[in-house]
Amino acid sequence: MLGIKRQPATRSVIGAGMRVQGPCTFSDGLQIDGEVLGDVTAEGGQPSVLVIGEGGSVHGAISADHVVIGGTVVGPVLARELLELQSKARVQGDVRYKTLEMQQGAVIAGQLQPQLTPPPAAARESQAQEPTDARSPPPAEPTEPTLDFDRP
C-alpha cells in the first residue's frame, strides 16, 4: 500500500473530548478522535497517515499521503495516495485523491477530483511533433444520445 513497505506509525493522538484550535502539522501518523478547528497537514518527505475516527471532526483543509475518514470534515481534502471513506464519514468540501475507497453510507458534499498521473514527457513530446493533416475534418462535438424507436 502507498508504494511503501510498512504503514507509518500513529505517533500522535488528539483524543475524544479534546479541541485544538489553529493549524496542525504532523509527521508519520496522526489519529483525531476529538475536534480540530484549523488545517491539518502532514510534513513532506516521509509517508504519512491521517485517521479521523467516528467521533472526530476537522474544520479546515486536510493534506496527507493516506487519509482515513470515519468522522466529519468541513473543508478541502487532499490525499496524495489513498483516501478511505468509512461508512459514517461526512465530508463537506472538495476532495482530491489518487486512489479512493468509499464504503456504503459515506457522504461527500463537494467535487471529487482524481489526481491522475501525467503521461511521460516522451509521450507528450511525440504528440506535439505529429504533423496535422490539413484535409482531416475537425473532431466532432459530442452529442446527447437519443432513443429513436422508429429507426430500424
Side-chain angles (χ1 to χ4, degrees), residues 9-44:
T10 301
R11 295 182 140 195
S12 304
V13 176
I14 297 174
M18 186 174 180
R19 176 186 292 172
V20 174
Q21 292 183 319
C24 297
T25 58
F26 69 97
S27 59
D28 294 330
L30 172 64
Q31 168 100 22
I32 299 175
D33 292 320
E35 183 178 14
V36 175
L37 304 173
D39 297 345
V40 179
T41 307
E43 294 177 350

Side-chain angles (χ1 to χ4, degrees), residues 68-93:
V68 180
I69 301 175
T72 304
V73 175
V74 179
V77 176
L78 170 61
R80 289 183 289 271
E81 292 295 329
L82 174 62
L83 174 61
E84 293 182 50
L85 297 171
Q86 296 175 344
S87 62
K88 297 196 180 203
R90 302 290 179 263
V91 178
Q92 185 176 350

